[in-house]
Amino acid sequence: MLPIGRRSWGGVMARLDVERVSKHFGGVYALRDVSLHCESGEIVGLIGPNGAGKTTLLNVVSAALPVDQGSVTLDGKRLDGTGPRNCALMGIGRTFQNIRLFGRLTVRQNIDVAYSTALAHRRARLKDTTVDGLLEFMSLSAAQHRRARELPYGQQRRLEIARALALAPDFLLLDEPAAGMNEAESERLIGSIRAVRDRSGCGIIVIDHDLRFIMTVCERIHVMHMGELIAHGPPEIVQKDPRVIEVYIGGRGRAKDRTRKEASNAEALAAH
Amino acid sequence: MTALLSQLGLGRQSLFGSLMLAALVVLIGLIVMAVAEKAQIRVANVFFVNLILVFGLQITMGNSNVANLGHITFTGVAAYVVGILVLPLAIKATGIPNAPFGLAEVLIHFVPAAMIAVVFSTALAFITGLVLTRQTGIAYTIATLALLVIVHTVLTNWVDLTRGPIAMYGIPIRANTVSLMLIAGACAIVARLFRDSRWGLQLRASGEDVLGAEASGVSVRTLRLVAWTLSGFVLSIGGVMYAYMVGTINPKSFYFDAVFLTLAMLILGGMRSVSGAVVGAVIVTLGTELMRWLEGAPVIFGGKMPQIFGLTGFFLGVVIVLFMALRPDGLVGDEELDEMARRLWRERRTKGAKEQAQESET
Ligand SMILES: Nc1ncnc2c1ncn2[C@@H]1O[C@H](COP(=O)(O)OP(=O)(O)O)[C@@H](O)[C@H]1O
Ligand SMILES: [Mg+2]
């Protein structure tokens, strides 16, 4: 149904490597010596409090930002510094924390744009994936003629994912895909993310600061804090890591100052 | 044919829509020819030239959503090239006897001359586009303005070639309402098919969100260059038709007045659609004619109105400012008229289906 990732069309596995990347804005280090990797078929989570550098990492991987030091490679081919367009054509699909749809274009046209840019070799993969198929997969068929900016928030998030999938990416990067969704919507999103992986075989990196969400979808988690990766491993291990508990529950002030989400994160940790 | 069209990302709706637009343009011409007097025919001819220019402007500005103030440059260049090529030798001997490159002795048939002018000016658009499309946002807009000023300065000061600020007159009149309306109709088709093609769609996407478009694999710079060049092509055709319509050109015809007139037309109608270009051109033409009539101190209800100069320019300024502030999408909005009709029809149908379902429930 979604023959997009490399594994699904019988190619070899793809591998995305972030090697010792640093990035600073003025005096602020948004990323400090960060390394991580992801392979086809993996769902990797990236969590951390606001301002930890998660979005910056994703921007660097999709070449929307240049790195100061380090490298990002896809199967050994350099991605950093090549620009977001090249990255998209090389096989990185992404969404944005503050949704970046084409507001005046229809839902269908939003997907058409990405679908029509694919290079010849990628288009061959897309043979069996149609725009109709993507619309249906993300439950957007009924809304296909509406303008993107008229959609409710949850559907906009889903449309952004459908648009990224229309690139036939080897890796899909999702920046807080569940933000602003209600319980039911985010439940469904978890199902969709899993389905993307199962049916397409692409590798997925998901950012969120909601621990529950991340722990349900991901097999492997990286925890970021102040631009550094402070913990890494399967969810059960990570949530017992004292530094993670410190970041999420400790140094965070009194309980009544916490946001709802932070409270729910603390709860999720306390449950174990 | 259909395979080619689908390669370009064009469906039946685009074909149908572009033909409808062309038919509308031709219809306007036919009505004018049926009812108008001589003075009004002239107004209509000017309208068709402006319409061609607005189509040209729509191709860049409407799709990429970045303001362009230099588009008239290519109109001026094409008009001068064609003028110099077809000017009778006797007039050249007195007007531009010292023209460089032996142009004082050159005389070409008006059709190949038109082609040469369009190719030359379009090539200039491509070359300037290579530089311009490196800029983005406000820098791009200012660069287009700089281009306008530079070329105007050349036209005004290269006296041997252009007669400088003095009008170049004596260009044989070759355009009439029929040829103007047909060519304007053809340009409507070009603009609409580009808008609906996959490149037009990708460019419109970049106009909504540049980073979102790049992350979807869109080459924003290349598409802006393509649009700029195609726009230059249409604007050059407008320049040639202008020269062939009035027979007299001077650098002032291709400067700020023309820029703001066409800009007002596009903004009032709605720059995101080609239908908007047509609607805007019609309304602004009617409006400026009204202003011109008022400027001439007409007698209304027996009382003589005072003479007001500059009313036309004032009117255009007001149109641009009001629409930018209150209705940036213009009268037509961001859909073509046929798309709007189709959407309304679809909505009515789904509403009808829902009501029926409700009825059968109760
Ligand atoms: N474009 C930018 N200019 C300046 N500072 C930035 C920019 N983007 C991010 N930052 C800073 O980098 C740090 C990490 O931000 P970000 O990656 O957005 O965090 P997260 O996504 O984890 O919430 C923050 O301190 C933020 O203020
Ligand atoms: Mg973020």
Side-chain angles (χ1 to χ4, degrees):
Chain A
M1 148 109 196
L2 280 175
I4 53 183
R6 200 175 298 191
R7 211 169 58 168
S8 63
W9 52 273
V12 287
M13 303 269 277
R15 190 186 159 90
L16 182 67
D17 284 287
V18 176
E19 286 290 341
R20 313 204 56 178
V21 164
S22 295
K23 173 80 197 169
H24 68 94
F25 298 104
V28 182
Y29 264 87
L31 296 176
R32 204 191 288 266
D33 209 11
V34 171
S35 301
L36 67 84
H37 69 95
C38 180
E39 286 181 14
S40 296
E42 273 192 304
I43 305 183
V44 176
L46 194 58
I47 57 168
N50 256 327
K54 307 182 294 295
T55 298
T56 305
L57 181 58
L58 208 142
N59 283 339
V60 160
V61 172
S62 62
L65 281 176
V67 299
D68 291 340
Q69 264 153 40
S71 68
V72 180
T73 53
L74 174 62
D75 290 331
K77 281 181 299 249
R78 201 73 182 246
L79 288 183
D80 56 276
T82 60
R85 171 181 185 248
N86 180 63
C87 240
L89 297 181
M90 297 270 290
I92 308 284
R94 70 167 293 185
T95 66
F96 296 85
Q97 184 173 348
N98 48 343
I99 305 176
R100 286 177 174 274
L101 288 170
F102 313 129
R104 284 193 176 81
L105 304 188
T106 65
V107 168
R108 194 185 184 87
Q109 286 176 327
N110 267 266
I111 300 177
D112 269 336
V113 168
Y115 195 80
S116 64
T117 60
L119 292 177
H121 68 275
R122 233 157 247 291
R123 211 172 293 143
R125 285 192 212 178
L126 277 171
K127 248 188 354 250
D128 302 320
T129 313
T130 56
V131 174
D132 285 311
L134 289 166
L135 283 165
E136 202 182 309
F137 181 65
M138 281 289 151
S139 324
L140 291 165
S141 301
Q144 61 172 312
H145 295 298
R146 292 179 65 190
R147 276 172 236 198
R149 64 175 175 196
E150 293 167 0
L151 294 186
Y153 200 72
Q155 285 192 17
Q156 292 198 357
R157 290 249 174 239
R158 289 215 304 278
L159 174 55
E160 230 191 358
I161 296 176
R163 183 180 74 181
L165 288 175
L167 290 166
D170 285 322
F171 290 95
L172 181 64
L173 316 179
L174 306 175
D175 197 345
E176 305 206 8
M181 283 190 175
N182 61 33
E183 203 88 343
E185 281 177 322
S186 104
E187 206 62 38
R188 260 179 74 201
L189 181 68
I190 291 172
S192 302
I193 293 174
R194 285 242 174 84
V196 168
R197 190 266 309 271
D198 295 345
R199 296 191 201 174
S200 77
C202 64
I204 302 176
I205 298 180
V206 192
I207 294 184
D208 214 298
H209 51 221
D210 181 357
L211 267 173
R212 261 189 232 267
F213 178 80
I214 286 288
M215 289 197 294
T216 328
V217 262
C218 303
E219 288 110 22
R220 210 147 59 73
I221 296 178
H222 289 269
V223 185
M224 282 193 89
H225 182 51
M226 313 262 287
E228 288 180 75
L229 291 179
I230 56 166
H232 167 223
E236 320 75 79
I237 310 278
V238 164
Q239 67 191 346
K240 293 195 188 109
D241 190 300
R243 291 184 68 188
V244 178
I245 296 172
E246 162 78 17
V247 166
Y248 269 96
I249 303 173
R252 266 283 167 169
R254 288 159 300 159
K256 75 176 171 65
D257 295 335
R258 289 183 200 150
T259 61
R260 196 173 59 84
K261 201 144 227 174
E262 279 166 347
S264 115
N265 282 337
E267 235 172 75
L269 285 170
H272 291 266
Chain B
M1 182 72 189
T2 43
L4 174 74
L5 287 173
S6 75
Q7 269 291 309
L8 299 172
L10 293 169
R12 279 222 306 272
Q13 164 119 29
S14 306
L15 273 189
F16 170 77
S18 62
L19 291 176
M20 288 300 290
L21 269 171
L24 177 66
V25 170
V26 170
L27 185 69
I28 295 173
L30 293 177
I31 292 174
V32 168
M33 281 161 54
V35 303
E37 291 157 23
K38 196 151 183 231
Q40 291 160 336
I41 291 274
R42 202 189 132 79
V43 172
N45 290 350
V46 174
F47 160 80
F48 282 121
V49 170
N50 286 331
L51 188 58
I52 296 172
L53 304 187
V54 180
F55 288 145
L57 182 59
Q58 196 276 336
I59 291 172
T60 48
M61 200 168 141
N63 292 308
S64 66
N65 197 17
V66 192
N68 173 358
L69 300 173
H71 56 287
I72 296 296
T73 307
F74 306 113
T75 310
V77 169
Y80 267 93
V81 171
V82 87
I84 291 165
L85 291 178
V86 301
L87 209 59
L89 292 180
I91 298 181
K92 274 188 184 167
T94 56
I96 44 170
N98 303 319
F101 320 119
L103 283 168
E105 278 83 50
V106 173
L107 180 65
I108 300 182
H109 182 266
F110 78 98
V111 174
M115 289 176 183
I116 292 171
V118 170
V119 168
F120 180 89
S121 183
T122 306
L124 184 69
F126 175 73
I127 293 163
T128 55
L130 285 175
V131 182
L132 265 169
T133 49
R134 287 181 171 278
Q135 321 288 330
T136 53
I138 198 84
Y140 170 90
T141 305
I142 291 173
T144 62
L145 190 62
L147 178 70
L148 179 76
V149 175
I150 291 169
V151 172
H152 178 77
T153 309
V154 172
L155 290 180
T156 320
N157 290 295
W158 198 348
V159 178
D160 282 350
L161 184 65
T162 65
R163 297 199 78 202
I166 312 164
M168 176 186 283
Y169 61 88
I171 301 167
I173 308 284
R174 297 291 186 187
N176 56 25
T177 310
V178 174
S179 59
L180 282 165
M181 76 187 185
L182 290 179
I183 287 175
C187 292
I189 295 177
V190 169
R192 172 67 191 269
L193 292 186
F194 177 72
R195 175 187 181 274
D196 287 4
S197 71
R198 37 189 275 219
W199 299 292
L201 181 68
Q202 290 172 5
L203 192 59
R204 282 187 283 150
S206 79
E208 295 291 308
D209 193 309
V210 173
L211 182 53
E214 285 181 334
S216 303
V218 174
S219 174
V220 179
R221 225 193 109 187
T222 309
L223 289 176
R224 282 191 182 166
L225 178 61
V226 169
W228 175 262
T229 309
L230 183 63
S231 154
F233 171 72
V234 171
L235 288 156
S236 307
I237 293 176
V240 167
M241 295 313 286
Y242 178 79
Y244 281 163
M245 178 191 74
V246 295
T248 306
I249 53 179
N250 68 64
K252 251 183 62 193
S253 318
F254 311 107
Y255 213 34
F256 286 113
D257 285 352
V259 170
F260 285 113
L261 177 67
T262 46
L263 209 54
M265 288 173 170
L266 187 61
I267 288 171
L268 183 136
M271 66 177 185
R272 289 196 168 74
S273 67
V274 185
S275 315
V278 179
V279 170
V282 170
I283 294 179
V284 171
T285 300
L286 295 176
T288 45
E289 281 313 304
L290 181 68
M291 294 300 141
R292 209 161 279 154
W293 180 68
L294 289 175
E295 270 179 5
V299 179
I300 299 177
F301 300 127
K304 193 165 168 24
M305 297 284 287
Q307 210 165 358
I308 318 167
F309 291 109
L311 207 55
T312 321
F314 179 75
F315 166 72
L316 292 180
V318 168
V319 164
I320 293 181
V321 170
L322 277 186
F323 270 82
M324 286 292 237
L326 301 178
R327 208 182 151 91
D329 280 349
L331 289 175
V332 175
D334 52 12
E335 286 171 311
E336 298 289 350
L337 292 173
D338 56 289
E339 290 174 342
M340 201 184 295
R342 195 161 130 146
R343 178 173 55 82
L344 292 176
W345 189 70
R346 193 184 281 134
E347 279 169 11
R348 233 185 82 180
R349 210 180 37 177
T350 51
K351 214 172 104 190
K354 260 187 209 150
E355 273 162 14
Q356 240 173 26
Q358 269 171 2
E359 261 169 42
S360 62
E361 256 172 47
T362 52

